[in-house]
Amino acid sequence: MRASKEHSGKAPEAGNFPLFGGGEGAHRTVAVETVTNPVDVSGSAKRLLNTVLARASLAQGDPRVEALPRVLFVELTRFCNLSCPMCRERGAIPMDQRMSRDLFERIAQELFPTAELVDLRGWGESLILPEFPERARRVRVQGCDLRVVTNLS
């Protein structure tokens, strides 16, 4: 686990957590001990268990993916305000082509609790969106690292 830059001061609770997956209604239960060291306490128990599941599947050479994605690439918009020669024409994508609030919230609720990194970019320039600061905060509140690629315009 990587060291976190910030932590809540609370350790995750000990207990058994069901892990679903594997097909045919199968599930597994993993026992987790209480963590007393403040390393990575900002990560949720779900994130930790998802990481354990992903690493266990990889170590066993299991071709089935039971863990949820640990890294997410979320394209907020395809609109860009520049016309770089290595990209497409300026104005080729209208500014109103961007991810809806409802879709972003659904992704946040379903995938942010287990993700370690959320990358808010794509073909467009995410930082020109008026809702970008709130969406970036949503990523950080969930305890995920945030990555953004920008043209700095």
Side-chain angles (χ1 to χ4, degrees), residues 41-63:
V41 294
S42 66
S44 69
K46 287 181 182 180
R47 184 172 294 114
L48 176 62
L49 291 174
N50 191 58
T51 299
V52 169
L53 181 61
R55 289 182 178 167
S57 293
L58 180 64
Q60 295 170 5
D62 191 346

PDB file of all heavy atoms in Angstrom, residues 41-63:
ATOM      1  N   VAL A  41      -5.006   4.948   5.783  1.00  0.00           N
ATOM      2  CA  VAL A  41      -6.314   4.866   6.428  1.00  0.00           C
ATOM      3  C   VAL A  41      -7.355   5.702   5.716  1.00  0.00           C
ATOM      4  O   VAL A  41      -8.539   5.562   5.980  1.00  0.00           O
ATOM      5  CB  VAL A  41      -6.269   5.239   7.928  1.00  0.00           C
ATOM      6  CG1 VAL A  41      -5.462   4.235   8.701  1.00  0.00           C
ATOM      7  CG2 VAL A  41      -5.764   6.637   8.137  1.00  0.00           C
ATOM      8  N   SER A  42      -6.956   6.581   4.777  1.00  0.00           N
ATOM      9  CA  SER A  42      -7.957   7.331   4.030  1.00  0.00           C
ATOM     10  C   SER A  42      -8.653   6.431   3.009  1.00  0.00           C
ATOM     11  O   SER A  42      -9.729   6.729   2.549  1.00  0.00           O
ATOM     12  CB  SER A  42      -7.321   8.536   3.331  1.00  0.00           C
ATOM     13  OG  SER A  42      -6.421   8.096   2.342  1.00  0.00           O
ATOM     14  N   GLY A  43      -8.021   5.328   2.643  1.00  0.00           N
ATOM     15  CA  GLY A  43      -8.658   4.385   1.729  1.00  0.00           C
ATOM     16  C   GLY A  43      -9.720   3.597   2.461  1.00  0.00           C
ATOM     17  O   GLY A  43      -9.581   3.259   3.621  1.00  0.00           O
ATOM     18  N   SER A  44     -10.776   3.315   1.769  1.00  0.00           N
ATOM     19  CA  SER A  44     -11.880   2.591   2.378  1.00  0.00           C
ATOM     20  C   SER A  44     -11.571   1.107   2.471  1.00  0.00           C
ATOM     21  O   SER A  44     -10.675   0.592   1.804  1.00  0.00           O
ATOM     22  CB  SER A  44     -13.147   2.806   1.566  1.00  0.00           C
ATOM     23  OG  SER A  44     -13.032   2.143   0.314  1.00  0.00           O
ATOM     24  N   ALA A  45     -12.334   0.429   3.298  1.00  0.00           N
ATOM     25  CA  ALA A  45     -12.201  -1.018   3.398  1.00  0.00           C
ATOM     26  C   ALA A  45     -12.512  -1.665   2.052  1.00  0.00           C
ATOM     27  O   ALA A  45     -11.868  -2.635   1.658  1.00  0.00           O
ATOM     28  CB  ALA A  45     -13.124  -1.557   4.484  1.00  0.00           C
ATOM     29  N   LYS A  46     -13.470  -1.106   1.321  1.00  0.00           N
ATOM     30  CA  LYS A  46     -13.798  -1.633  -0.010  1.00  0.00           C
ATOM     31  C   LYS A  46     -12.608  -1.534  -0.950  1.00  0.00           C
ATOM     32  O   LYS A  46     -12.332  -2.444  -1.721  1.00  0.00           O
ATOM     33  CB  LYS A  46     -14.975  -0.861  -0.614  1.00  0.00           C
ATOM     34  CG  LYS A  46     -16.304  -1.162   0.016  1.00  0.00           C
ATOM     35  CD  LYS A  46     -17.385  -0.370  -0.671  1.00  0.00           C
ATOM     36  CE  LYS A  46     -18.735  -0.608  -0.041  1.00  0.00           C
ATOM     37  NZ  LYS A  46     -19.793   0.152  -0.713  1.00  0.00           N
ATOM     38  N   ARG A  47     -11.893  -0.412  -0.894  1.00  0.00           N
ATOM     39  CA  ARG A  47     -10.729  -0.210  -1.763  1.00  0.00           C
ATOM     40  C   ARG A  47      -9.643  -1.229  -1.423  1.00  0.00           C
ATOM     41  O   ARG A  47      -9.043  -1.842  -2.304  1.00  0.00           O
ATOM     42  CB  ARG A  47     -10.209   1.217  -1.601  1.00  0.00           C
ATOM     43  CG  ARG A  47      -9.072   1.565  -2.534  1.00  0.00           C
ATOM     44  CD  ARG A  47      -8.713   3.049  -2.476  1.00  0.00           C
ATOM     45  NE  ARG A  47      -9.815   3.848  -2.998  1.00  0.00           N
ATOM     46  CZ  ARG A  47     -10.542   4.695  -2.267  1.00  0.00           C
ATOM     47  NH1 ARG A  47     -10.283   4.897  -1.005  1.00  0.00           N
ATOM     48  NH2 ARG A  47     -11.536   5.366  -2.814  1.00  0.00           N
ATOM     49  N   LEU A  48      -9.408  -1.419  -0.144  1.00  0.00           N
ATOM     50  CA  LEU A  48      -8.396  -2.373   0.299  1.00  0.00           C
ATOM     51  C   LEU A  48      -8.764  -3.789  -0.135  1.00  0.00           C
ATOM     52  O   LEU A  48      -7.930  -4.522  -0.672  1.00  0.00           O
ATOM     53  CB  LEU A  48      -8.230  -2.298   1.818  1.00  0.00           C
ATOM     54  CG  LEU A  48      -7.270  -3.297   2.441  1.00  0.00           C
ATOM     55  CD1 LEU A  48      -5.855  -3.092   1.913  1.00  0.00           C
ATOM     56  CD2 LEU A  48      -7.297  -3.178   3.951  1.00  0.00           C
ATOM     57  N   LEU A  49     -10.012  -4.169   0.085  1.00  0.00           N
ATOM     58  CA  LEU A  49     -10.433  -5.512  -0.294  1.00  0.00           C
ATOM     59  C   LEU A  49     -10.403  -5.713  -1.803  1.00  0.00           C
ATOM     60  O   LEU A  49     -10.052  -6.787  -2.290  1.00  0.00           O
ATOM     61  CB  LEU A  49     -11.829  -5.794   0.252  1.00  0.00           C
ATOM     62  CG  LEU A  49     -11.883  -5.928   1.772  1.00  0.00           C
ATOM     63  CD1 LEU A  49     -13.318  -6.057   2.228  1.00  0.00           C
ATOM     64  CD2 LEU A  49     -11.060  -7.100   2.246  1.00  0.00           C
ATOM     65  N   ASN A  50     -10.748  -4.685  -2.553  1.00  0.00           N
ATOM     66  CA  ASN A  50     -10.688  -4.769  -4.005  1.00  0.00           C
ATOM     67  C   ASN A  50      -9.243  -4.957  -4.469  1.00  0.00           C
ATOM     68  O   ASN A  50      -8.971  -5.743  -5.375  1.00  0.00           O
ATOM     69  CB  ASN A  50     -11.296  -3.507  -4.628  1.00  0.00           C
ATOM     70  CG  ASN A  50     -11.503  -3.649  -6.114  1.00  0.00           C
ATOM     71  OD1 ASN A  50     -12.199  -4.536  -6.567  1.00  0.00           O
ATOM     72  ND2 ASN A  50     -10.863  -2.765  -6.875  1.00  0.00           N
ATOM     73  N   THR A  51      -8.311  -4.261  -3.841  1.00  0.00           N
ATOM     74  CA  THR A  51      -6.894  -4.407  -4.180  1.00  0.00           C
ATOM     75  C   THR A  51      -6.410  -5.818  -3.859  1.00  0.00           C
ATOM     76  O   THR A  51      -5.709  -6.439  -4.664  1.00  0.00           O
ATOM     77  CB  THR A  51      -6.052  -3.367  -3.416  1.00  0.00           C
ATOM     78  OG1 THR A  51      -6.490  -2.061  -3.795  1.00  0.00           O
ATOM     79  CG2 THR A  51      -4.571  -3.509  -3.719  1.00  0.00           C
ATOM     80  N   VAL A  52      -6.800  -6.330  -2.694  1.00  0.00           N
ATOM     81  CA  VAL A  52      -6.424  -7.695  -2.306  1.00  0.00           C
ATOM     82  C   VAL A  52      -6.970  -8.695  -3.318  1.00  0.00           C
ATOM     83  O   VAL A  52      -6.263  -9.600  -3.759  1.00  0.00           O
ATOM     84  CB  VAL A  52      -6.925  -8.005  -0.873  1.00  0.00           C
ATOM     85  CG1 VAL A  52      -6.795  -9.487  -0.551  1.00  0.00           C
ATOM     86  CG2 VAL A  52      -6.179  -7.166   0.140  1.00  0.00           C
ATOM     87  N   LEU A  53      -8.228  -8.531  -3.706  1.00  0.00           N
ATOM     88  CA  LEU A  53      -8.852  -9.429  -4.676  1.00  0.00           C
ATOM     89  C   LEU A  53      -8.142  -9.361  -6.027  1.00  0.00           C
ATOM     90  O   LEU A  53      -7.858 -10.380  -6.649  1.00  0.00           O
ATOM     91  CB  LEU A  53     -10.328  -9.080  -4.835  1.00  0.00           C
ATOM     92  CG  LEU A  53     -11.133  -9.943  -5.808  1.00  0.00           C
ATOM     93  CD1 LEU A  53     -11.123 -11.405  -5.364  1.00  0.00           C
ATOM     94  CD2 LEU A  53     -12.551  -9.426  -5.894  1.00  0.00           C
ATOM     95  N   ALA A  54      -7.820  -8.157  -6.490  1.00  0.00           N
ATOM     96  CA  ALA A  54      -7.131  -7.994  -7.777  1.00  0.00           C
ATOM     97  C   ALA A  54      -5.754  -8.643  -7.746  1.00  0.00           C
ATOM     98  O   ALA A  54      -5.372  -9.357  -8.681  1.00  0.00           O
ATOM     99  CB  ALA A  54      -7.014  -6.514  -8.120  1.00  0.00           C
ATOM    100  N   ARG A  55      -5.024  -8.417  -6.675  1.00  0.00           N
ATOM    101  CA  ARG A  55      -3.674  -8.988  -6.576  1.00  0.00           C
ATOM    102  C   ARG A  55      -3.711 -10.504  -6.435  1.00  0.00           C
ATOM    103  O   ARG A  55      -2.866 -11.208  -6.989  1.00  0.00           O
ATOM    104  CB  ARG A  55      -2.918  -8.353  -5.411  1.00  0.00           C
ATOM    105  CG  ARG A  55      -2.540  -6.931  -5.709  1.00  0.00           C
ATOM    106  CD  ARG A  55      -1.763  -6.296  -4.605  1.00  0.00           C
ATOM    107  NE  ARG A  55      -1.405  -4.934  -4.991  1.00  0.00           N
ATOM    108  CZ  ARG A  55      -0.932  -4.043  -4.148  1.00  0.00           C
ATOM    109  NH1 ARG A  55      -0.753  -4.338  -2.880  1.00  0.00           N
ATOM    110  NH2 ARG A  55      -0.634  -2.843  -4.576  1.00  0.00           N
ATOM    111  N   ALA A  56      -4.702 -11.026  -5.708  1.00  0.00           N
ATOM    112  CA  ALA A  56      -4.831 -12.475  -5.553  1.00  0.00           C
ATOM    113  C   ALA A  56      -5.144 -13.126  -6.899  1.00  0.00           C
ATOM    114  O   ALA A  56      -4.563 -14.164  -7.242  1.00  0.00           O
ATOM    115  CB  ALA A  56      -5.911 -12.808  -4.524  1.00  0.00           C
ATOM    116  N   SER A  57      -6.038 -12.529  -7.670  1.00  0.00           N
ATOM    117  CA  SER A  57      -6.375 -13.070  -8.996  1.00  0.00           C
ATOM    118  C   SER A  57      -5.155 -13.061  -9.905  1.00  0.00           C
ATOM    119  O   SER A  57      -4.912 -14.026 -10.625  1.00  0.00           O
ATOM    120  CB  SER A  57      -7.502 -12.258  -9.631  1.00  0.00           C
ATOM    121  OG  SER A  57      -8.695 -12.421  -8.919  1.00  0.00           O
ATOM    122  N   LEU A  58      -4.394 -11.974  -9.855  1.00  0.00           N
ATOM    123  CA  LEU A  58      -3.191 -11.874 -10.681  1.00  0.00           C
ATOM    124  C   LEU A  58      -2.153 -12.913 -10.258  1.00  0.00           C
ATOM    125  O   LEU A  58      -1.576 -13.603 -11.090  1.00  0.00           O
ATOM    126  CB  LEU A  58      -2.597 -10.469 -10.573  1.00  0.00           C
ATOM    127  CG  LEU A  58      -1.334 -10.207 -11.385  1.00  0.00           C
ATOM    128  CD1 LEU A  58      -1.613 -10.318 -12.870  1.00  0.00           C
ATOM    129  CD2 LEU A  58      -0.774  -8.834 -11.058  1.00  0.00           C
ATOM    130  N   ALA A  59      -1.939 -13.055  -8.949  1.00  0.00           N
ATOM    131  CA  ALA A  59      -0.946 -13.998  -8.442  1.00  0.00           C
ATOM    132  C   ALA A  59      -1.314 -15.445  -8.787  1.00  0.00           C
ATOM    133  O   ALA A  59      -0.442 -16.276  -9.021  1.00  0.00           O
ATOM    134  CB  ALA A  59      -0.799 -13.852  -6.930  1.00  0.00           C
ATOM    135  N   GLN A  60      -2.602 -15.735  -8.833  1.00  0.00           N
ATOM    136  CA  GLN A  60      -3.058 -17.086  -9.154  1.00  0.00           C
ATOM    137  C   GLN A  60      -3.163 -17.325 -10.651  1.00  0.00           C
ATOM    138  O   GLN A  60      -3.460 -18.426 -11.085  1.00  0.00           O
ATOM    139  CB  GLN A  60      -4.417 -17.343  -8.502  1.00  0.00           C
ATOM    140  CG  GLN A  60      -4.370 -17.349  -7.001  1.00  0.00           C
ATOM    141  CD  GLN A  60      -5.764 -17.362  -6.376  1.00  0.00           C
ATOM    142  OE1 GLN A  60      -6.761 -17.466  -7.068  1.00  0.00           O
ATOM    143  NE2 GLN A  60      -5.801 -17.261  -5.057  1.00  0.00           N
ATOM    144  N   GLY A  61      -2.939 -16.277 -11.441  1.00  0.00           N
ATOM    145  CA  GLY A  61      -3.039 -16.403 -12.887  1.00  0.00           C
ATOM    146  C   GLY A  61      -4.473 -16.618 -13.350  1.00  0.00           C
ATOM    147  O   GLY A  61      -4.717 -17.174 -14.410  1.00  0.00           O
ATOM    148  N   ASP A  62      -5.405 -16.172 -12.548  1.00  0.00           N
ATOM    149  CA  ASP A  62      -6.826 -16.335 -12.860  1.00  0.00           C
ATOM    150  C   ASP A  62      -7.206 -15.414 -14.018  1.00  0.00           C
ATOM    151  O   ASP A  62      -7.061 -14.203 -13.912  1.00  0.00           O
ATOM    152  CB  ASP A  62      -7.651 -16.000 -11.615  1.00  0.00           C
ATOM    153  CG  ASP A  62      -9.106 -16.399 -11.744  1.00  0.00           C
ATOM    154  OD1 ASP A  62      -9.549 -16.694 -12.876  1.00  0.00           O
ATOM    155  OD2 ASP A  62      -9.802 -16.424 -10.720  1.00  0.00           O
ATOM    156  N   PRO A  63      -7.707 -15.950 -15.133  1.00  0.00           N
ATOM    157  CA  PRO A  63      -8.070 -15.094 -16.269  1.00  0.00           C
ATOM    158  C   PRO A  63      -9.367 -14.313 -16.049  1.00  0.00           C
ATOM    159  O   PRO A  63      -9.648 -13.380 -16.772  1.00  0.00           O
ATOM    160  CB  PRO A  63      -8.221 -16.081 -17.424  1.00  0.00           C
ATOM    161  CG  PRO A  63      -8.598 -17.367 -16.762  1.00  0.00           C
ATOM    162  CD  PRO A  63      -7.886 -17.364 -15.434  1.00  0.00           C
TER     163      PRO A  63
END
